[in-house]
Amino acid sequence: YIGEEVTQGRGPNEMIQPAWISAIDGETGNMIIMDAGGAILEFDKEFNILYNTQMPWFMMLSEDFGENEAISLLSAPDPNIPEMYEYNFDSNKMFSNNGRIYLPVTTEHIKYNKFLKGRIAKNYWKNSFTFISFNINDISGTKRLFGKYPKIYQRHHIPVFSDYDFAIVDNYIYVTYEADPIIYKYDIDGRLCRTFRVPSDQVNTQHYPTSYSFDDYEINRGYLKECYGYYGRIFADEKYILRTYKRDDGVWMMQQYNHKYDLINIYQI
């Protein structure tokens, strides 16, 4: 333990609400924090506040989105409207690159979500986005939704295994989903560049049981995660891409790829 730099309070360089999640900007080295209320702050390397949205980011996506628009969206959900989305707490991560923020998102709209098996969930898996990005100083003017769920989620209703992880390096975003052996590579603007994979024959993603309701998902989630293998976290730097996975027998492993997308090693962890 060394000391405290950012504390809670209303004074200079203090946060009103506790920090929820943070990132170090890949270009500037500044620290970006999303607080418990959804506001985003940027600190320089001396922990001075450079920018504070003061409002939750999801309330700043459009300047003219008001009560009438909210009522309309409630009755007629549209996955292309950014106000449909909220931070995806299951991913528990954010990134920043030269002042542009990248957040995992989800929606639990009562008429458009991943929990109820049937037409609602099929539309969710097919059309909803998994990420939003924006510049911290102009959220409404620079917002961009990108990323879609892999087709395995359209074929099998498996919200228990729908979590995903992502990493950013050299202006590329690498994404892995729990039920999909494929790694997806996007450019910094959210355009899919390529995919690559070496699936493990010890992770049988075709045998996950279907969930039928939100209660089913909540009650059985922990048990199912113990019983089945799935793909986990991803990390990338200038030399390697690392992706963890849990085998069906419960043992955790890690794949090591180079940037030619060759699998060069597998480790038990």
Side-chain angles (χ1 to χ4, degrees):
Y1 177 77
I2 297 174
E4 296 180 3
E5 296 289 353
V6 182
T7 57
Q8 189 175 359
R10 296 182 178 273
N13 299 319
E14 291 183 334
M15 299 178 61
I16 294 177
Q17 297 201 60
W20 178 263
I21 197 164
S22 64
I24 302 298
D25 189 280
E27 293 290 330
T28 65
N30 293 340
M31 183 168 65
I32 313 296
I33 290 177
M34 183 173 73
D35 73 14
I40 295 179
L41 299 88
E42 180 178 8
F43 294 81
D44 65 18
K45 295 177 182 178
E46 284 71 45
F47 300 99
N48 300 304
I49 294 179
L50 300 177
Y51 197 84
N52 184 354
T53 65
Q54 297 183 343
M55 293 177 60
W57 62 266
F58 47 82
M59 295 180 64
M60 304 174 68
L61 293 171
S62 299
E63 295 180 359
D64 56 354
F65 191 87
E67 183 177 355
N68 290 337
E69 288 76 14
I71 292 172
S72 175
L73 189 60
L74 182 62
S75 60
D78 182 347
N80 295 302
I81 296 179
E83 282 78 8
M84 277 270 292
Y85 297 91
E86 59 189 80
Y87 180 74
N88 187 345
F89 290 98
D90 287 328
S91 289
N92 197 32
K93 182 180 284 188
M94 68 183 291
F95 274 98
S96 176
N97 188 76
N98 202 23
R100 190 164 185 88
I101 312 300
Y102 295 83
L103 297 174
V105 292
T106 186
T107 177
E108 295 183 3
H109 191 292
I110 192 170
K111 295 182 179 179
Y112 196 94
N113 61 65
K114 63 183 179 181
F115 301 113
L116 297 176
K117 179 175 168 57
R119 182 176 59 85
I120 290 177
K122 280 189 176 182
N123 286 336
Y124 177 93
W125 297 125
K126 183 178 180 180
N127 297 315
S128 67
F129 291 94
T130 51
F131 293 98
I132 192 168
S133 70
F134 47 76
N135 292 346
I136 188 173
N137 58 356
D138 183 15
I139 293 176
S140 64
T142 62
K143 63 183 180 294
R144 182 182 294 118
L145 291 166
F146 70 95
K148 296 291 185 69
Y149 283 94
K151 289 186 177 180
I152 188 173
Y153 296 103
Q154 298 174 39
R155 297 193 298 266
H156 307 282
H157 183 55
I158 47 174
V160 169
F161 298 96
S162 63
D163 293 346
Y164 54 94
D165 193 35
F166 63 109
I168 296 181
V169 65
D170 288 339
N171 291 327
Y172 290 103
I173 306 163
Y174 297 88
V175 186
T176 183
Y177 295 83
E178 287 185 331
D180 191 352
I182 297 173
I183 296 174
Y184 297 82
K185 179 182 179 181
Y186 295 86
D187 67 19
I188 209 70
D189 294 320
R191 291 183 289 264
L192 183 63
C193 299
R194 69 168 297 148
T195 62
F196 59 98
R197 66 172 175 176
V198 177
S200 169
D201 59 5
Q202 296 170 309
V203 180
N204 193 338
T205 60
Q206 301 299 315
H207 287 181
Y208 297 136
T210 296
S211 295
Y212 292 92
S213 66
F214 179 74
D215 288 341
D216 183 7
Y217 164 86
E218 282 282 280
I219 292 171
N220 296 311
R221 183 181 184 187
Y223 168 75
L224 293 176
K225 282 291 185 73
E226 289 292 326
C227 292
Y228 292 87
Y230 54 90
Y231 295 91
R233 292 291 192 178
I234 192 167
F235 172 81
D237 63 13
E238 291 77 9
K239 295 181 66 176
Y240 301 114
I241 302 156
L242 308 175
R243 196 253 304 264
T244 66
Y245 64 93
K246 176 176 170 285
R247 298 190 323 205
D248 293 332
D249 62 6
V251 176
W252 277 96
M253 308 293 292
M254 182 173 67
Q255 297 175 326
Q256 181 183 18
Y257 295 85
N258 60 27
H259 280 276
K260 294 180 180 179
Y261 317 110
D262 302 315
L263 179 64
I264 58 176
N265 274 307
I266 299 177
Y267 304 95
Q268 181 174 334
I269 56 177

